Amino acid sequence: MTISEGLSPTPPAQKAEPVIRSIRVFQSGSGEQHKEHRFGSRLPRSVWALTSRSWVPLPLQYFLIEHCDGLVLFDTGLDPAIALDPRYIESPVGRFLLPRIFRLHIDEADGLDRVLAAGGIQAADIRLAVFSHLHFDHVGGIAHIPQAELVVSARECAQLDAPHPEYDWILRDHVQIPGARWCPFEFASTDDPLLAPFGEAHDLLGDGSMVLLPTPGHTPGSISMLIRRDGWAPILLAGDLTYQVDLLEQDVVPGTGDAKELRASFARVRQLKALLPDLEIVASHDAGAAAALARAQGFAHLAA
Ligand SMILES: [Zn+2]
């Protein structure tokens, strides 16, 4: 051995490639909802829905996680057909109520396949889609991903067997479409102290990178997804648990859903945030979602 060989520094250990490479947000056009819907109201839903004159912006977002084993969607957005096909909502009551509860600004270019393609992603390459819940504005892209497994909580899936799921904006005809590969899952108990507030969890791919957690309240089977990667702040994709994150932090429930269950889920998420102070909570209809994702992934940039 020469001296120079003997003194050569040990090569740095190869950094293992992270299993999560990126998280991106996409939009299904845009919308508006009533102020009472977003921020809550003392009035019952049936009253504010028909009497409110105040509209506030409602971003319509879904998320793409690039995992080393394939592309994963969290929700699939709104189908443009809702604005283009007068028969999209079968129930006359639903057709009457929709424009009184939502203003939707969407056209063909906002379909999942075209939005993903504009971002350099082919819908045919999506491996899995995880659903926060089954409302129409979250399941509107499934016709474009027939190859994908569609992951939903068993409790949410049971809503489809209720007499009238459409009364709660779960449109069976647009969920149980021919060829859709629905894969309901049951939560399992967990002894991970980090997840103690929830008591149960579902590790999506078994590597701890994407853990599904029960966060009922908006619907009975609503879930959130905790995403963890070394070098990033942890991220909680919270679906519609809240319409904007500051409202969850202030314990302000929206004007829809089960207020008691929402408050219990809010408290669990705040406990998780206490355990993970860097946690970025990302809500599907929050205009701050993109900034929260950028902040979380910015930790990786700083660490690189
Ligand atoms: Zn929604």
Side-chain angles (χ1 to χ4, degrees):
M1 181 187 289
T2 66
I3 290 174
S4 64
E5 278 173 332
L7 294 177
S8 64
T10 312
Q14 285 285 326
K15 264 190 177 174
E17 203 195 332
V19 293
I20 303 259
R21 292 173 185 149
S22 68
I23 307 175
R24 297 164 66 182
V25 58
F26 294 92
Q27 311 255 358
S28 294
S30 64
E32 294 162 64
Q33 65 184 160
H34 289 303
K35 186 166 60 95
E36 293 85 350
H37 192 173
R38 192 172 187 88
F39 299 101
S41 170
R42 287 168 191 262
L43 298 172
R45 183 170 68 159
S46 54
V47 174
W48 63 249
L50 297 176
T51 59
S52 175
R53 295 289 175 268
S54 35
W55 295 92
V56 293
L58 177 73
L60 300 163
Q61 301 170 117
Y62 52 97
F63 304 92
L64 178 79
I65 301 108
E66 189 188 2
H67 186 279
C68 63
D69 288 340
L71 299 176
V72 177
L73 282 170
F74 186 78
D75 292 331
T76 62
L78 182 65
D79 185 346
I82 199 165
L84 307 171
D85 175 3
R87 308 288 304 177
Y88 185 83
I89 295 181
E90 196 184 345
S91 142
V93 174
R95 283 204 295 272
F96 172 82
L97 287 175
L98 182 76
R100 288 164 176 81
I101 298 179
F102 299 104
R103 288 175 173 170
L104 301 173
H105 315 291
I106 186 166
D107 62 32
E108 286 109 331
D110 298 309
L112 177 101
D113 55 337
R114 291 175 62 175
V115 170
L116 290 182
I121 302 290
Q122 298 308 308
D125 292 335
I126 302 296
R127 176 183 162 193
L128 286 174
V130 176
F131 291 83
S132 63
H133 64 296
L134 293 178
H135 279 163
F136 66 94
D137 56 317
H138 298 256
V139 300
I142 60 178
H144 297 295
I145 51 171
Q147 77 288 347
E149 288 183 14
L150 308 177
V151 179
V152 62
S153 76
R155 191 174 174 202
E156 185 71 358
C157 211
Q159 298 301 300
L160 295 166
D161 299 325
H164 290 287
E166 72 277 13
Y167 290 178
D168 190 32
W169 299 107
I170 293 176
L171 308 179
R172 212 185 261 135
D173 291 353
H174 301 296
V175 175
Q176 294 173 316
I177 65 172
R181 300 173 59 203
W182 286 102
C183 303
F185 72 89
E186 298 274 4
F187 286 108
S189 61
T190 173
D191 53 9
D192 182 341
L194 182 65
L195 305 179
F198 301 91
E200 50 185 12
H202 178 70
D203 189 348
L204 184 64
L205 296 182
D207 62 7
S209 64
M210 292 176 280
V211 176
L212 310 184
L213 299 167
T215 48
H218 183 67
T219 63
S222 286
I223 64 157
S224 298
M225 180 152 82
L226 177 63
I227 301 173
R228 283 174 291 177
R229 193 198 111 155
D230 284 347
W232 284 7
I235 295 164
L236 187 75
L237 300 181
D240 287 7
L241 174 60
T242 182
Y243 289 123
Q244 54 189 64
V245 174
D246 59 330
L247 298 177
L248 183 150
E249 288 162 349
Q250 296 157 19
D251 210 32
V252 176
V253 293
T256 186
D258 181 318
K260 197 173 161 203
E261 275 207 314
L262 283 166
R263 285 210 169 84
S265 290
F266 281 13
R268 291 187 193 104
V269 169
R270 288 193 302 259
Q271 287 175 57
L272 181 67
K273 171 95 176 160
L275 294 167
L276 294 171
D278 292 339
L279 182 71
E280 291 286 354
I281 303 165
V282 178
S284 296
H285 300 298
D286 189 336
L293 288 176
R295 277 196 302 275
Q297 295 174 71
F299 280 70
H301 173 70
L302 294 174

